[in-house]
Amino acid sequence: MKADARSGVISLRDAEAMIPGPAGERAARVLKRGTLDIALSVPVAPNEQTPHEQDELYLVIRGTGVLVHGGERDPFGAGDVLFVAAGVEHRYEDFSGDLALWRIFYGRNGGEVAADE
């Protein structure tokens, strides 16, 4: 998808071609629009992350692993959607070498909260 496009298809093949980045980056941003920030992430062990300012979704394209978050451990696999609220410490463990995820940051800093929370 072209950077200035208002609609289109984001190609997994094109995103994979950007990894690793020039400095060895394991993620490639494919769309930034307002608060929406989408990247392809192809992590390597050890997977260390710092809590993020926005809520985030991970759409698992392929592979398996364990999401460690907020003191819990949840297994995941291809086709799953992972949610991590802003500020929650998290990482992947025991993940397969073929793990690939769409990483989606969205919303205001501090995260979004449902009206009834």
Side-chain angles (χ1 to χ4, degrees):
M1 191 167 103
K2 296 178 184 173
D4 60 348
R6 294 182 44 89
S7 59
V9 173
I10 297 171
S11 165
L12 175 60
R13 180 179 30 227
D14 291 347
E16 286 180 315
M18 296 189 293
I19 298 174
E25 299 92 347
R26 303 300 301 171
R29 178 183 284 160
V30 295
L31 179 65
K32 175 76 172 131
R33 184 172 171 85
T35 67
L36 181 64
D37 182 344
I38 302 175
L40 175 66
S41 177
V42 181
V44 294
N47 175 251
E48 298 296 330
Q49 298 190 41
T50 57
H52 304 291
E53 293 182 348
Q54 292 176 280
D55 289 337
E56 56 191 305
L57 293 171
Y58 296 95
L59 309 179
V60 184
I61 299 166
R62 65 175 176 262
T64 60
V66 175
L67 175 65
V68 178
H69 61 103
E72 297 189 32
R73 296 176 56 85
D74 290 314
F76 64 82
D80 289 346
V81 176
L82 317 177
F83 171 75
V84 179
V88 173
E89 290 192 27
H90 63 286
R91 66 185 179 280
Y92 315 121
E93 290 184 351
D94 305 324
F95 57 89
S96 59
D98 65 341
L99 183 61
L101 313 100
W102 289 117
R103 188 270 299 144
I104 304 168
F105 290 152
Y106 68 94
R108 64 179 179 82
N109 284 351
E112 296 186 3
V113 180
D116 59 350
E117 288 186 273

